[in-house]
Amino acid sequence: MPDLYYENQLRSEGFRLIAGIDEAGRGPLAGPVSAGAVILPADYEHGILNDSKQLSEKSREALYEEITTDERIFWASASVGPGEIDVINILQATYRAMGSAFEKLDPHPDMALIDGRPVRGFPGQHRALVKGDSLSLSIAAASIVAKVERDRLMLEYAAIYPEYGFERHKGYGTAFHLAALKKHGPCPIHRHSFAPVAQLQFDLS
């Protein structure tokens, strides 16, 4: 289970406000990539807070409500849409979402713990932590924020574009989604630079 070991290590180096940062939605064929940024209190403990991928949707929703309503916790989120993803590529879009979430935090952190690899051009000091969402409580909390906010947005898109079943797969390339994509073609929230969508457009041209 994640804890505050890495946050405490940074505090021992003199950093005071440490934000955990994570993303959701790098792999889907549709919708935005989202990022969460969370600053937890130094004495924070939680019995079930974990990497969002290890939790049920019901647990994620409950944790999201806890995180976003706890007055001791500071949080922010940001997303980059499919049009921008197609222009700058998914990696750069992910970096941009992470940087934007970090910059939106108030109070502003003096260090970030980021899940994965170092982020080129990040707008502040940061340390990268591979599998950080299963090691750091701050990153785990950020993963919850990013995932829940993105999933809620995909449910809104599901009502606008019901033929794709976004409520079922949140834009990931499931068999149902691929079949709907082949039948109906891409909609405005599809990522046209992603191979299954790009190939479909090529086949239809």
Side-chain angles (χ1 to χ4, degrees):
M1 289 289 291
D3 56 27
L4 291 178
Y5 172 82
Y6 293 95
E7 289 86 343
N8 290 332
Q9 285 287 103
L10 289 168
R11 288 190 180 94
S12 73
E13 297 177 31
F15 297 104
R16 188 172 61 89
L17 293 176
I18 298 145
I21 298 182
D22 201 5
E23 54 78 25
R26 281 182 66 168
L29 307 179
V33 61
S34 300
V38 176
I39 302 173
L40 296 176
D43 60 350
Y44 190 79
E45 295 181 354
H46 203 287
I48 67 166
L49 178 57
N50 201 348
D51 168 16
S52 65
K53 296 186 291 296
Q54 304 299 319
L55 299 167
S56 67
E57 182 175 359
K58 183 177 180 180
S59 294
R60 287 195 300 265
E61 285 283 348
L63 285 165
Y64 177 89
E65 293 302 322
E66 282 189 45
I67 292 164
T68 58
T69 58
D70 188 330
E71 293 184 353
R72 303 172 302 155
I73 297 174
F74 304 102
W75 68 279
S77 65
S79 64
V80 172
E84 196 168 352
I85 290 170
D86 287 337
V87 172
I88 65 175
N89 78 46
I90 185 60
L91 181 62
Q92 296 305 317
T94 302
Y95 289 172
R96 185 168 292 182
M98 287 178 164
S100 295
F102 175 80
E103 290 191 304
K104 287 166 71 173
L105 278 169
D106 183 19
H108 193 67
D110 47 20
M111 174 58 76
L113 266 176
I114 298 180
D115 183 51
R117 302 290 181 181
V119 175
R120 183 176 297 178
F122 190 76
Q125 290 195 74
H126 70 287
R127 303 276 174 87
L129 188 59
V130 175
K131 299 189 184 302
D133 46 12
S134 62
L135 298 171
S136 155
L137 274 174
S138 298
I139 296 177
S143 78
I144 297 290
V145 169
K147 175 67 173 167
V148 171
E149 296 235 329
R150 185 182 187 281
D151 282 357
R152 289 181 176 182
L153 186 58
M154 293 307 294
L155 290 178
E156 294 179 18
Y157 285 132
I160 300 170
Y161 309 107
E163 62 270 29
Y164 299 96
F166 291 129
E167 74 282 359
R168 297 172 57 169
H169 49 70
K170 308 302 189 294
Y172 283 88
T174 64
F176 180 93
H177 187 189
L178 292 172
L181 189 57
K182 187 173 182 179
K183 180 178 180 180
H184 302 288
C187 75
I189 69 158
H190 276 101
R191 300 175 182 178
H192 294 263
S193 58
F194 276 43
V197 183
Q199 183 61 46
L200 179 64
Q201 295 174 109
F202 179 78
D203 291 343
L204 294 174
S205 63

